[in-house]
Amino acid sequence: MADTTPRTVLERFPASGPRGSWPADEYAAQYRDQGQDARVVMDLRTDQFLVIVDSPGH
């Protein structure tokens, strides 16, 4: 069963970044340091990493 929790995409990063570089993870870590539960997911359709947070109030 698919998760239907509303989410907000904070940023998108191409999956073809330089080897050893994790910009999506670093971006998400900045939000986690500020107390937001940001995480990285892969959008296979667009071949991008998305940094997302659950949208409150939905």
Side-chain angles (χ1 to χ4, degrees):
M1 186 159 148
D3 183 1
T4 59
T5 304
R7 295 185 173 96
T8 299
V9 176
L10 300 174
E11 191 62 68
R12 300 169 187 272
F13 294 89
S16 61
R19 185 180 184 119
S21 175
W22 302 97
D25 292 305
E26 293 165 4
Y27 191 87
Q30 291 174 357
Y31 275 86
R32 286 192 300 270
D33 289 346
Q34 297 174 11
Q36 292 192 22
D37 188 25
R39 60 191 183 278
V40 178
V41 297
M42 179 69 186
D43 181 354
L44 295 174
R45 186 180 56 81
T46 63
D47 196 32
Q48 293 180 324
F49 291 109
L50 309 178
V51 178
I52 64 168
V53 293
D54 291 338
S55 299
H58 290 102

